[in-house]
Amino acid sequence: MANISSNLRINLTGTESEPQAAALRYQAALDMAEYADAQGFSSVNVEEHHCAENGWLPSPLTMAAALAARTEHCSIGIMALLVTLYDPVRLAEDLAVIDLLSGGRLTFVAGMGYREKEFRAMDKPYATRGAWMDHVLDTLLAAWGDEPFEYNGQLINVTPKPFQRPHPMFLVGGMSKPAARRAARRGLPFGPPIADPELEALYYEELTKHGHSNGFVYTPPADFSVMFLHDDPEAAWDQLGHHFLVEAIEYSSWKEEGLQRPLEFASSSVEALRAEARYEIITPQECIERHLNRAEFFATVHPLIGGMPLDAGWDCLRLYAEQVLPTVRAELKG
């Protein structure tokens, strides 16, 4: 099978507040993940945010464990996991169990978070979140080590250990100099959401300074977009565009002055959102051409965006899996 990078994004924005309807969407997310895995998707990703007005997945660890049970091959990513909102020892245990359940398929970006509301809701320190982030990362690394370590005056040995050794694959997220230094000090890869050559240079300088050689920087490509497939994009924008707007407006409402984030949106119209091309509705043929013309192309398919009707979401996913993937594989094989 040709190595084609394709990611199923499970965000669950716009999820209904009525429990039975919400349950149907969560079950659909798992069904879609199982289907995508069987079709050869390289990854299934979930995200984390809390107290969202229009819905956002708040329990990525629970969902990642469910995904591990429903898939066999794809990587399971939490992009990002807000590690500062957890008890660090319990987080180490939960991540280890998910990594074992998945047979070592877990990956995540360790995010610090920036929304004060989330810190207060989870009773975690907002004003000193940088120091708390350091504490959480150091605790995770110690907990996954082979030796007992001292924690809060006690010698503890956290079990079980994760499947991946020395620990699950993860990057330190962030878009600041302290974040770059934080990753480099520990020899961990750095994953800023937006490319920044100055920040990348600082990371590698700090990596060398601390005697590490295995670190790297990963950022999404400059033209990264979230995709939805449809045979008639014009009609789809008219009929379904407001679902994309639900997610864009919710995310943009969390903007913080001086903080750079991907997928920022300053308007409130479907037309403006479409013009920005961060959310795209394209035909299967357009998607095939992107795969064939760009070896590094990474297709991120988001069929459940903003309360998208389940039948429309399934149509999108099947167009990619049953029309795009077979054609691209055949072309690359030939």
Side-chain angles (χ1 to χ4, degrees):
M1 182 182 295
N3 183 20
I4 303 166
S5 295
S6 48
N7 169 51
L8 173 64
R9 186 183 187 192
I10 297 176
N11 217 12
L12 293 169
T13 51
T15 299
E16 297 89 342
S17 59
E18 200 280 318
Q20 289 185 334
L24 286 175
R25 296 193 70 80
Y26 275 82
Q27 185 60 53
L30 295 177
D31 292 343
M32 287 182 176
E34 183 176 24
Y35 172 80
D37 181 59
Q39 297 296 319
F41 275 59
S42 53
S43 61
V44 176
N45 285 0
V46 297
E47 303 178 14
E48 175 180 14
H49 275 297
H50 303 271
C51 306
E53 294 297 327
N54 292 316
W56 212 281
L57 179 66
S59 302
L61 300 179
T62 302
M63 182 61 81
L67 290 169
R70 292 287 297 271
T71 60
E72 297 181 2
H73 309 290
C74 63
S75 69
I76 299 168
I78 307 176
M79 309 295 176
L81 175 65
L82 303 181
V83 299
T84 49
L85 303 183
Y86 295 82
D87 174 90
V89 171
R90 182 59 185 268
L91 180 61
E93 294 171 337
D94 286 345
L95 288 170
V97 169
I98 295 169
D99 199 44
L100 290 165
L101 286 171
S102 67
R105 293 184 286 129
L106 176 67
T107 67
F108 66 95
V109 172
M112 183 170 70
Y114 56 86
R115 297 178 67 215
E116 186 172 357
K117 177 186 286 189
E118 293 181 322
F119 281 81
R120 296 203 180 280
M122 302 299 159
D123 197 24
K124 292 295 183 286
Y126 179 76
T128 57
R129 60 193 182 280
W132 179 248
M133 175 76 164
D134 287 332
H135 170 68
V136 172
L137 290 177
D138 289 340
T139 302
L140 290 177
L141 295 173
W144 291 328
D146 294 325
E147 302 297 327
F149 68 104
E150 186 174 332
Y151 189 78
N152 288 342
Q154 297 288 324
L155 192 66
I156 64 172
N157 182 29
V158 175
T159 57
K161 303 302 180 186
F163 186 94
Q164 299 174 75
R165 305 302 289 148
H167 54 72
M169 169 60 194
F170 76 99
L171 298 85
V172 176
M175 194 62 197
S176 66
K177 291 180 179 180
R181 294 191 182 102
R182 181 174 291 119
R185 274 198 308 276
R186 296 167 177 82
L188 295 170
F190 182 42
I194 302 172
D196 185 327
E198 183 179 350
L199 206 58
E200 185 171 340
L202 173 64
Y203 169 78
Y204 283 114
E205 288 172 11
E206 292 288 314
L207 201 66
T208 300
K209 173 179 153 182
H210 290 282
H212 299 299
S213 58
N214 294 326
F216 62 88
V217 176
Y218 173 78
T219 57
D223 61 350
F224 170 80
S225 66
V226 175
M227 298 191 324
F228 192 90
L229 271 68
H230 197 280
D231 286 323
D232 187 346
E234 290 293 333
W237 274 112
D238 289 340
Q239 298 164 11
L240 306 172
H242 61 284
H243 295 292
F244 296 82
L245 199 59
V246 165
E247 179 170 293
I249 290 177
E250 174 72 23
Y251 178 76
S252 297
S253 72
W254 305 333
K255 181 177 176 60
E256 296 283 342
E257 187 175 351
L259 178 68
Q260 287 184 285
R261 306 185 306 160
L263 300 177
E264 287 283 12
F265 183 58
S267 182
S268 59
S269 74
V270 171
E271 293 75 16
L273 184 67
R274 182 180 182 182
E276 287 198 353
R278 294 299 182 181
Y279 292 94
E280 293 187 285
I281 303 179
I282 64 175
T283 65
Q285 186 57 42
E286 287 178 278
C287 194
I288 290 168
E289 290 169 1
R290 293 189 191 188
H291 272 299
L292 296 179
N293 294 333
R294 295 169 47 188
E296 77 287 357
F297 178 64
F298 188 84
T300 296
V301 183
H302 192 358
L304 288 174
I305 186 168
M308 182 68 65
L310 295 183
D311 57 351
W314 273 110
D315 287 345
C316 161
L317 186 56
R318 290 189 177 111
L319 283 175
Y320 183 83
E322 297 172 16
Q323 293 191 25
V324 175
L325 284 178
T327 301
V328 174
R329 287 179 184 136
E331 290 284 343
L332 293 178
K333 185 177 181 180

